[in-house]
Every structure is written in C-alpha cells, then in structure tokens.
Amino acid sequence: MNQEFIQAIYNFIPETRVLTELEDLYSYSFDASFGEYLPELVIQPKDPDEISKVVKLANKYLVPIYPRGSATSLSGGPLPVEGGVVLDMSRMNKKLVIDKENLLAIASPGVITADIHLAAEEVGLFYPPDPSSSHVSTIGGNLLENSSGPKGLKYGTTKEYVIRLEIVTPKGEIVRTGGKTVKNVTGYDLTRLIVGSEGTLAIVTEVTLRLIPKPKARKTLLATFNQLVDSGYAITKILANGILPAAMELMDNSCIRAVENFQPCGLPIDAEALIIIEVDGHPLAIDEEIRACEEICFSVGATSVKVANSDHERDEIWRARKMVSPAITELGPTKISEDATVPRSQIPAMMERLKEIREKYQLTLVVFGHAGDGNMHPNIITDKRNIEEMKRVEDAVSEIFEVAVELGGTLSGEHGIGTLKAPYLEMELGEAGVDLMKSIKEAWDPNHILNPGKIFPKPGVKKVVLTE
Amino acid sequence: MNQEFIQAIYNFIPETRVLTELEDLYSYSFDASFGEYLPELVIQPKDPDEISKVVKLANKYLVPIYPRGSATSLSGGPLPVEGGVVLDMSRMNKKLVIDKENLLAIASPGVITADIHLAAEEVGLFYPPDPSSSHVSTIGGNLLENSSGPKGLKYGTTKEYVIRLEIVTPKGEIVRTGGKTVKNVTGYDLTRLIVGSEGTLAIVTEVTLRLIPKPKARKTLLATFNQLVDSGYAITKILANGILPAAMELMDNSCIRAVENFQPCGLPIDAEALIIIEVDGHPLAIDEEIRACEEICFSVGATSVKVANSDHERDEIWRARKMVSPAITELGPTKISEDATVPRSQIPAMMERLKEIREKYQLTLVVFGHAGDGNMHPNIITDKRNIEEMKRVEDAVSEIFEVAVELGGTLSGEHGIGTLKAPYLEMELGEAGVDLMKSIKEAWDPNHILNPGKIFPKPGVKKVVLTE
C-alpha cells in the first residue's frame, strides 16, 4: 500500500480509527458469501467529510475503496478483491429520526435495520423490507444490495422505500439525491440508480425512508402438501381471489427435514412442501381472508392447514421458517446461497429443474424462499476443501442461473451480483445492456475506485469459479 | 433539414408515415404546456427496428429526435425545441396483454393508460397510477414523465409499477431492461433510471407493468373547511390514526369558485378549502375507516362532511374535482400549470406562501392537488399576449419554485422539468448533482440526439422566460 496515501489519511483520521494490524485486517476479509480477501487497510470514518477526503486521496493514489456494513452479504459485496481499503460504515450509526408527520425515517447508514423496524413501530408506523439478516445487517448494506425479504409481493422492495440519499460520489463529492416527497421527478432518479448498485456508484452516508401506517392486525397459516405443484396452485389461486398476502413462504422437503433434524418444530417430514401465508390489515378483513386462504389450500390438496390463533402460535410457525438457515448450515461446512428469481407462474417448473440439478450433480441442495414474488433461495451445502465436489457445485450453480434466465427470471432477486454471478451478467442483459451500465460506472468512476471487481465480469470469464 | 437523412428515411419507412406538410407539422408543434416549436419532419414508426434505424441515421446526420405520445405534457416534454424529427409514438399501440397469473400488463408505448386500467379491472386486477389525463395520455408518455395522479400516497407512483422495458438507446441499440419479477438486482436499475427521464435517455418501445389485485370496495367523502390549515390537520390526523387513504385531494377557495362558476356542483363558495378522501380495501374495513375519517374531519373543524352512499354520489364528488382543469381554463386563455411538491407537513406553509405570491403579483392563481403526498398544483391563469402580466407570471413562477425547495420539497412532483423548470435544476440539486445526471446523458447520448433542450438548463439561464 502506498505510504504517502496512508500518511495523508493519518493527517485527518486518528490512529484509533485506522486499522493496520493483521488480526484486525483478517476480521474484514470475509462476508457471508464464498471467498476471503485481505484488505491492506481498514478505515472507520465518522462523517461524510472524512469519507470525501478519503475518496479524493484514493483517486489521487489509485487505491480501491470497499464500503462495508455488517458484511452479511451473500454475493461478496464488501470483499476487498483487489486489496486496498475497507471502509467500515458500521460505526456511522448515530442518527435514527422518525418524522411521524411526514411518514419518514432518516438514518445513518450503519443503523441496524431491525432498529428502524422497532423505532417505526413504536409510533404506529411500518418499514416493510425485512431481509432475514435484519437483526444484524445495516440499512446502508440493505439498500446497496436492495435486499428485501418476504414482503416484496405486497409491499415492494427496499427500493420502493428509499426516497432520498446523502452520498459521497466516486470522485469524492458530497451530494444529496431525491427528496422528502414520494413524488419527485426533478431530473434523473439517482436514488433508485444507487439503491442496488452494490457500492460501485456511491458511498451512502444518510438514508431517508418512506414509512406507512402499521397494519392493525395479522394472521398466519402453515399448510403442507404432498405434491409441490399443489402448493404453487394454492399461491396462484389465493392471488386470483383478490387476496394480497404480506408474505407467502415456501419450504421444500429437504428444508423441512433439515429443520426437523436441527430443532424439531413438529413439521411433517414426508410433506413435499409447506407454505406459510401471512395476511395483514384491518382485523375484520383479515379474519375473512385467512379463512379463504385455508379453504383454498384444502381445495388444491393441502394435507394439513394450521391457522395461528395467538401470537405464540404465529411465532411457532415463523420459528420453523427462521430455523432454515441455521438448520442447513449444520448439513456441511460450506453453504452456497442463491436467489434465482422467476415469474411466479414458473415456480413449479423451477422447482422441477432444481430437483433434476440435485440428482444430476449428486449434491445437497435445499430450496426455500419467497414464493409470492418468485424469489427462491436454492442453497447448496458442501465442503470447499472437497475440490472434486466443488467442481460439481460450480456446474450446478451455473445451471441454476441458466434455468432462471431461461424461465424468464433473473440471476438475482435480492442478494446482488457481487463476484459470484458476474460471469453470467451478459447472459441475462445482453452486451448492449451491460454496456449501458458500464458506461455509467465509467462516467462516475473513471479510476475504478469504488468497489472494483463487482457486478461486471472480468474479460473472458464466463463461469463461476470456486476452486482457485 | 439534411436531404440525405430524409432520403435514407424513405428507404425503409413508407411516405404515408413520414409527414412533411406544414399543416401536419403544425399539429406536432405544441403540447399542453407553454410554447410552440415547429418540427422539420414527423415520423410514425411501427416497431423498434424502424426506430433503431432512425436513431442510427440521426446520429450520423446529427438530427434531434423528439419522441411524443399524446402530447399532454405540462412541461414541454415532446416539444421539438431544436427542430429535427418528432417521433409520433401514439401509433405504436397494438399490444396490450394482461398476464393474470403473474399480475403483469405488457403494453406498447402508445396504449392509452385508461385502456390499461380497464383491461386490468376486467380480470379483477388494478393498475393504480392515474394522472388526470389518463383517458387520453399514453403509457409511454406517463412513464417517461413518471406522472402518477392522486394515488401516490398509498400506491406509489408510476415508477413503482414499471418493472421491465424494451428501449431503443440514443445510439440506436434495442435493449431490454429489468425483468418480469418484482425482485431484480441484476446490475443497475436502468428501468427506474429511464422512467422519469423525459425521453432524454431512451425511446420506450414496450412496457411491462406490475398489477395488484383490485381493491374489493371503496368509500369517498368530501369535507369543507373555513380555515385551510384545518384541512391540513385533518389529513395529518387521518394518517396518524393508521388510515392510509387511496386519495386525499385538496381544492382551495379560488378553485371551488371556478368550478361553481363553470358548472355548479353544489360546493360552498365561501369555504376556504375542501378535501376529498377516498379509502379502498375490504368492505368491512373501509366502512369503519370512512366513519373514522368523517369524525376526524369534524373534530378539527370541518363545516360539512358528505360521505357518498352510492356510486352515483361518489361520481358526483369526483366530478367536482375533475371539473377543476376545464373550469380554470375558462378563466383565461393561457394556463401555467405547476406541480411544486412539499413534505406533507409543509402544505399549510406552502398554501400560505402561495397566497402571498398571488397578492404580491396580482395574478389569478388557483391551487389544488394531491394533498396526501404533498403534490400541489398551483395554476396561474393569464394571457400570453399580455407581456406586462407575463413578466409578473415569470417572477411568480420563479418564486413558487424557490418556496417549494426552501420548504424541503421539489420543483416537480409529476410533470417533469422539461423546458420551463430547467433553469432551477441546480437550485434543487446543486452543481455536483446536476453533473452526475449530465454525465449519464453524455455517456449514453454523446451527440445529443434524444430530446435535446430538456431538463438541463442552457448555460447562464437562471430564470424561466415566457416572453421571448
């Protein structure tokens, strides 16, 4: 690392917030995805001015900058794949203001998303996006990946709630995008361009989120099916009946078995699938809706339907869903977590193809996800030290991406492209589509300072590589 | 106009779809805003391939291209301010497919928005964005301006419903952006970048819209107030009670008087303001909600509240609102329609400032708008032949923009920047913000082919000019 750069950093950031020891650098070398890359330096900035100065110096000395929240990324978002500086944004977590009258939350990027949920709910408001990691992940990380969780169908994704940003650009300018109003067409929508840009276009230093009134009540059911395709019919029929659930979650048989092995929740281990449906809104309306959902599930062949009659029973249902990640982690040391997303009508076809892929490559492949919006999470459990198996994993992952695109879907619903999916970008977007995106990156960041090595594939790389 | 360019056009577009006669060109010289500009040529393309060829030729011969739908723009969006070609997209209106299972509508850009409403409703689905012009405006025009109407508060804007586009780029490439799933983070969100870009970044040739189940029922009320500020309290208190109306519309006294003069609807001409509130959803829920809204209106000093008890009574209430535009058009030959938008809590302050501006400049200024999302429509009625008055209008319009930004709002909620508001762009966005936008335009359209003269101000122009 350039010593002049480091000296210049010490001129305005105290040593306590500049980490250089190997043991510190190690703890910034990974996220929740695959791969480890050691940064050369970690900086813990406290405000946009410091970040602006760091980025201007980075441009002068051509040092890559990798912004990082809680590092729960499943696609390699914060990994310093080309060395340089990790910018630890998790310490910028002081501001969280709820503007009740304007239905807004204004937050520092390092605020934990679950704390925004709580602060909003305390005054009767609601921030719907809720990725599984929300109790540890930061709002800054959530929005740069546009990670959204189970409520996308009814409430939309993180993007639909971010209306204003304060950012530091790749050249080090401090800029505000968007505004405090839901309606705003003053120039291009830079806010939405930056949300989901995986830290390649801007470092976010403040977020303004739109909130909505908290739904007055909710009802939850769990239905099991002996035929996976029937659970698909249930989902389609519920929507066709004019019911828009807050969440419709699917777990396949491998997933059910993994949970029961890990921490028994009383799930039927022979069921090919289960779905969890939650409706929310006015108490009178949802009583009627949950009964209709129950009837529809039975009408398409559900083997059992359990409607939660209390908060405790609801928590029990969601516990089974929340056990999925820890349960499957027990199945092996390495977990490759995908988020191939298809149009809802293609879920049964996608599940069928995933079954074929599991058999073809003889892998531990479990599937769960947000069925209401077609956002499935196929997870492959493996051991990265087993090179022979990892080669099969590479082939299986490639095939999952190909199938998703073939069925009219997308490589990534909410985890981002990062490093793992970059080789497949052109398959989905075409050369001209990738070029449009690249030209924005080039225009804003000609020196490739911000999070290089993400989203865009290296020339000639056409396939995921896990075994280097 | 370059004759080689015209000859090259005739090589692949038949004469019947290339207009050159003066009387034809005249009918493409205006929109619903201020100003008239004669195009040199009008082309009526029928598919993306033709458009791609036109744009490639336009780059070769440096001819500006102005895409145009029904020309209901209130900000000059389709005006050919630098001559060149108007591309009449209204003829590309053949495709309108509702994909019921995936809750999608796929439409040609020239499809009238109201036809999408109808097609969706026929199968129990709902496309919420509903600009006042929806019975004549095209979906392509709606989305390029992100014009949204009264339902932004509950349902979001047009942007929230556009998930996939087929476009022709400024260099003539045909590209698809986004996908058929609500969740999609594969690369940058070009779809949302293009929505609201006022035809400066792409020509849209196909749109995929997300639909939602149609609300089962709706209830509407009209409340009148002797104090404008009380209507603001009513709006805030309704939201604070956890009710999220589908629409909350405001009309000021001048507006009420204009409507009663034009076509009496039984409105109290002494009321300082009226609001129309519509709730939708489950019948049991909205019965309770509309009663709560009624009580809240009275509790903050409403002088009358009328709840519609039938479709006929509902239509009567909305008729008063829909009469506003035709009624105020009767007040004078020239109407300058603005859409300054402020955070909801600032509506009373904004109304107060508009009153001061009316008195200061002695103008006919009426105010109505979508109070729920802070999107106000101050309209100045004037006569463009009266140069002295137009000078006062220029000053008043400038001051309206300044006040909106000062109150934490935006120049434009849904009409776009176009030509009229361009001089004020930097006031809201700052130089660095404008530069970020310009750099995208430069990267995609280095020859300034697509809709030049819009959004970005001419160097040195710092104020609206209506009197040249």
Side-chain angles (χ1 to χ4, degrees):
Chain A
M1 166 137 282
N2 187 303
Q3 287 306 310
E4 281 181 44
F5 172 78
I6 298 184
Q7 282 313 312
I9 293 292
Y10 282 127
N11 281 342
F12 63 98
I13 301 189
E15 278 181 31
T16 49
R17 293 195 279 112
V18 182
L19 312 182
T20 54
E21 299 294 322
L22 193 59
E23 62 267 32
D24 289 326
L25 301 182
Y26 266 124
S27 41
Y28 288 89
S29 68
F30 55 85
D31 63 0
S33 77
F34 192 87
E36 264 184 54
Y37 301 84
L38 204 64
E40 295 169 87
L41 198 72
V42 174
I43 298 175
Q44 299 174 325
K46 69 169 177 48
D47 62 36
D49 287 332
E50 282 187 355
I51 296 172
S52 165
K53 284 182 191 161
V54 169
V55 173
K56 283 179 177 168
L57 284 172
N59 273 282
K60 183 171 172 191
Y61 294 102
L62 299 180
V63 175
I65 301 281
Y66 294 85
R68 173 186 162 115
S70 296
T72 55
S73 173
L74 292 162
S75 60
L79 296 181
V81 295
E82 299 182 7
V85 175
V86 164
L87 213 57
D88 178 1
M89 302 296 291
S90 66
R91 308 294 179 96
M92 269 179 70
N93 61 357
K94 299 291 176 284
K95 185 170 183 179
L96 174 53
V97 176
I98 305 292
D99 175 350
K100 199 181 162 185
E101 202 171 358
N102 292 308
L103 306 187
L104 299 175
I106 300 140
S108 303
V111 168
I112 301 298
T113 302
D115 291 337
I116 298 176
H117 291 146
L118 286 176
E121 284 172 26
E122 266 172 26
V123 294
L125 297 176
F126 182 40
Y127 174 64
D130 185 20
S132 299
S133 61
S134 63
H135 56 293
V136 286
S137 59
T138 64
I139 186 65
N142 282 187
L143 79 87
L144 284 174
E145 301 291 340
N146 195 28
S147 48
S148 304
K151 289 173 186 154
L153 169 67
K154 177 165 182 176
Y155 291 107
T157 67
T158 297
K159 192 178 296 275
E160 272 76 58
Y161 294 86
V162 184
I163 60 173
R164 185 188 201 214
L165 294 173
E166 181 190 73
I167 59 167
V168 176
T169 71
K171 292 177 183 166
E173 302 286 334
I174 300 170
V175 173
R176 284 184 182 272
T177 70
K180 285 179 163 185
T181 59
V182 173
K183 286 189 180 167
N184 182 324
V185 287
T186 296
Y188 303 151
D189 191 343
L190 302 185
T191 307
R192 257 66 171 249
L193 180 65
I194 291 163
V195 175
S197 68
E198 307 190 22
T200 64
L201 291 180
I203 298 164
V204 172
T205 54
E206 189 179 284
V207 186
T208 301
L209 303 167
R210 175 170 81 89
L211 304 175
I212 57 175
K214 191 181 165 196
K216 292 195 170 73
R218 61 191 174 196
K219 284 271 182 184
T220 311
L221 70 72
L222 185 154
T224 58
F225 296 86
N226 279 342
Q227 301 291 330
L228 190 123
V229 67
D230 293 340
S231 67
Y233 291 141
I235 287 165
T236 311
K237 210 169 164 186
I238 286 167
L239 291 167
N241 273 265
I243 298 168
L244 191 59
M248 293 208 269
E249 295 289 298
L250 178 74
M251 287 165 56
D252 76 349
N253 176 267
S254 330
C255 226
I256 296 171
R257 284 176 184 266
V259 168
E260 284 302 304
N261 275 332
F262 177 64
Q263 214 175 92
C265 293
L267 305 177
I269 58 169
D270 292 329
E272 202 175 285
L274 68 77
I275 56 176
I276 296 169
I277 295 172
E278 187 159 286
V279 292
D280 63 10
H282 191 281
L284 297 170
I286 62 165
D287 273 353
E288 197 180 292
E289 286 182 352
I290 201 78
R291 278 198 305 272
C293 289
E294 185 180 10
E295 277 168 31
I296 289 167
C297 285
F298 278 126
S299 78
V300 298
T303 46
S304 75
V305 180
K306 181 177 171 48
V307 177
N309 286 311
S310 65
D311 277 357
H312 174 71
E313 286 182 15
R314 173 186 180 270
D315 292 346
E316 280 298 293
I317 288 176
W318 280 108
R319 192 168 68 91
R321 170 67 181 83
K322 285 183 176 146
M323 281 301 132
V324 170
S325 265
I328 62 182
T329 303
E330 295 282 303
L331 301 179
T334 307
K335 187 177 80 160
I336 311 281
S337 180
E338 286 310 330
D339 67 330
T341 302
V342 293
R344 191 168 30 249
S345 62
Q346 298 289 3
I347 289 178
M350 183 74 185
M351 296 298 280
E352 201 52 49
R353 298 290 289 274
L354 290 171
K355 208 167 147 184
E356 286 166 27
I357 291 169
R358 174 163 49 207
E359 281 156 21
K360 179 172 170 189
Y361 296 104
Q362 290 293 307
L363 293 167
T364 305
L365 169 63
V366 308
V367 187
F368 59 96
H370 317 306
D373 48 33
N375 181 201
M376 304 310 294
H377 292 308
N379 275 244
I380 298 175
I381 315 302
T382 179
D383 183 342
K384 68 180 172 186
R385 293 161 303 187
N386 181 342
I387 304 296
E388 182 276 323
E389 182 162 302
M390 288 308 281
K391 289 282 178 197
R392 280 184 281 133
V393 173
E394 285 176 1
D395 289 339
V397 167
S398 292
E399 210 166 311
I400 290 172
F401 295 147
E402 282 159 21
V403 168
V405 173
E406 188 190 317
L407 293 174
T410 179
L411 294 174
S412 179
E414 59 177 353
H415 294 171
I417 298 300
T419 52
L420 208 62
K421 280 168 262 187
Y424 304 89
L425 199 67
E426 201 173 301
M427 176 177 76
E428 179 173 337
L429 302 173
E431 196 185 333
V434 173
D435 283 351
L436 285 177
M437 293 181 188
K438 259 192 192 159
S439 69
I440 297 173
K441 172 69 177 173
E442 289 294 328
W444 284 22
D445 188 9
N447 295 325
H448 302 146
I449 296 304
L450 266 195
N451 213 4
K454 310 297 164 64
I455 300 184
F456 301 107
K458 286 187 189 141
V461 178
K462 294 282 177 194
K463 202 183 147 187
V464 58
V465 177
L466 302 170
T467 47
E468 277 181 317
Chain B
M1 164 137 286
N2 187 302
Q3 287 305 312
E4 281 180 45
F5 171 79
I6 297 183
Q7 282 314 311
I9 293 291
Y10 280 127
N11 281 343
F12 64 97
I13 299 188
E15 278 182 28
T16 49
R17 294 193 278 111
V18 181
L19 312 182
T20 54
E21 298 297 320
L22 194 59
E23 63 267 33
D24 289 327
L25 301 181
Y26 267 126
S27 40
Y28 288 88
S29 68
F30 55 86
D31 64 0
S33 77
F34 191 86
E36 264 185 54
Y37 301 85
L38 204 63
E40 296 168 86
L41 198 72
V42 174
I43 298 175
Q44 299 174 326
K46 70 171 177 43
D47 62 38
D49 287 330
E50 283 186 354
I51 297 172
S52 164
K53 284 181 193 162
V54 169
V55 173
K56 282 178 179 170
L57 284 173
N59 272 280
K60 185 173 171 191
Y61 294 102
L62 299 181
V63 175
I65 302 282
Y66 293 86
R68 172 185 163 115
S70 297
T72 55
S73 174
L74 293 162
S75 60
L79 295 181
V81 295
E82 299 182 7
V85 175
V86 164
L87 213 57
D88 177 1
M89 301 298 291
S90 66
R91 306 295 178 97
M92 270 178 71
N93 61 356
K94 298 292 175 284
K95 186 171 184 178
L96 175 52
V97 176
I98 305 292
D99 175 351
K100 199 181 163 186
E101 202 171 0
N102 292 309
L103 306 186
L104 299 174
I106 300 140
S108 302
V111 168
I112 301 298
T113 303
D115 291 337
I116 299 176
H117 291 145
L118 286 176
E121 283 172 27
E122 266 172 24
V123 294
L125 297 176
F126 182 40
Y127 174 64
D130 184 21
S132 298
S133 61
S134 63
H135 57 294
V136 285
S137 60
T138 64
I139 186 66
N142 281 186
L143 77 86
L144 284 173
E145 300 292 341
N146 196 28
S147 48
S148 304
K151 290 175 184 151
L153 171 66
K154 179 167 182 176
Y155 290 106
T157 67
T158 297
K159 194 179 294 278
E160 272 76 58
Y161 294 86
V162 184
I163 60 172
R164 187 190 202 210
L165 294 174
E166 181 190 73
I167 59 166
V168 176
T169 71
K171 291 177 183 167
E173 302 284 336
I174 301 171
V175 172
R176 282 184 182 273
T177 70
K180 286 179 162 185
T181 59
V182 173
K183 286 188 178 167
N184 183 325
V185 287
T186 296
Y188 302 153
D189 192 342
L190 301 186
T191 307
R192 256 66 171 251
L193 179 65
I194 291 162
V195 176
S197 68
E198 305 188 24
T200 64
L201 291 180
I203 298 164
V204 172
T205 54
E206 189 179 283
V207 187
T208 302
L209 303 167
R210 178 168 80 87
L211 304 174
I212 57 175
K214 190 182 166 196
K216 292 194 170 72
R218 59 194 176 194
K219 284 272 182 184
T220 312
L221 70 70
L222 186 154
T224 58
F225 296 86
N226 278 343
Q227 300 290 331
L228 191 121
V229 68
D230 293 341
S231 67
Y233 292 142
I235 287 163
T236 310
K237 209 169 165 189
I238 286 166
L239 290 167
N241 272 264
I243 299 168
L244 191 59
M248 293 207 269
E249 296 289 299
L250 178 74
M251 287 164 58
D252 76 349
N253 177 266
S254 330
C255 226
I256 296 170
R257 284 176 184 266
V259 168
E260 284 301 305
N261 276 332
F262 178 64
Q263 212 175 95
C265 295
L267 303 178
I269 57 167
D270 292 329
E272 201 175 284
L274 69 78
I275 56 176
I276 296 170
I277 294 172
E278 186 160 287
V279 292
D280 63 9
H282 190 282
L284 296 171
I286 62 165
D287 273 353
E288 196 179 295
E289 286 181 354
I290 201 77
R291 278 198 305 274
C293 289
E294 185 180 9
E295 277 168 32
I296 289 167
C297 285
F298 278 126
S299 78
V300 298
T303 45
S304 76
V305 181
K306 179 174 172 50
V307 177
N309 285 313
S310 65
D311 277 356
H312 173 73
E313 286 183 18
R314 173 184 181 272
D315 292 346
E316 280 299 294
I317 288 177
W318 279 109
R319 193 168 68 91
R321 171 66 180 83
K322 284 181 179 148
M323 280 303 132
V324 171
S325 264
I328 61 183
T329 304
E330 295 282 302
L331 301 179
T334 306
K335 186 176 81 158
I336 311 280
S337 180
E338 285 311 329
D339 68 327
T341 302
V342 294
R344 190 167 32 248
S345 62
Q346 298 289 3
I347 288 177
M350 182 74 186
M351 297 298 280
E352 201 50 49
R353 297 291 288 275
L354 289 171
K355 206 165 147 183
E356 287 166 27
I357 290 169
R358 174 165 48 209
E359 281 157 20
K360 180 171 169 188
Y361 296 104
Q362 290 293 308
L363 293 167
T364 306
L365 170 62
V366 308
V367 187
F368 59 97
H370 318 305
D373 47 33
N375 180 202
M376 304 312 293
H377 291 307
N379 274 245
I380 297 175
I381 316 301
T382 178
D383 183 342
K384 65 180 172 185
R385 294 160 301 188
N386 182 342
I387 304 295
E388 182 275 324
E389 182 161 301
M390 288 309 281
K391 290 280 178 199
R392 280 183 283 131
V393 174
E394 286 176 0
D395 289 340
V397 167
S398 293
E399 208 164 315
I400 290 172
F401 295 146
E402 282 159 21
V403 168
V405 173
E406 189 190 317
L407 293 174
T410 180
L411 294 175
S412 178
E414 57 178 354
H415 293 173
I417 298 301
T419 51
L420 207 62
K421 281 167 262 188
Y424 304 89
L425 200 67
E426 200 173 305
M427 176 177 78
E428 180 173 337
L429 302 173
E431 195 186 332
V434 174
D435 283 350
L436 285 178
M437 293 182 187
K438 259 192 191 159
S439 69
I440 297 173
K441 173 70 177 172
E442 288 293 329
W444 285 23
D445 188 9
N447 295 327
H448 302 148
I449 296 304
L450 267 194
N451 213 3
K454 311 297 164 65
I455 301 182
F456 301 108
K458 287 189 188 140
V461 178
K462 293 282 179 195
K463 201 183 150 189
V464 60
V465 178
L466 302 170
T467 46
E468 275 180 317

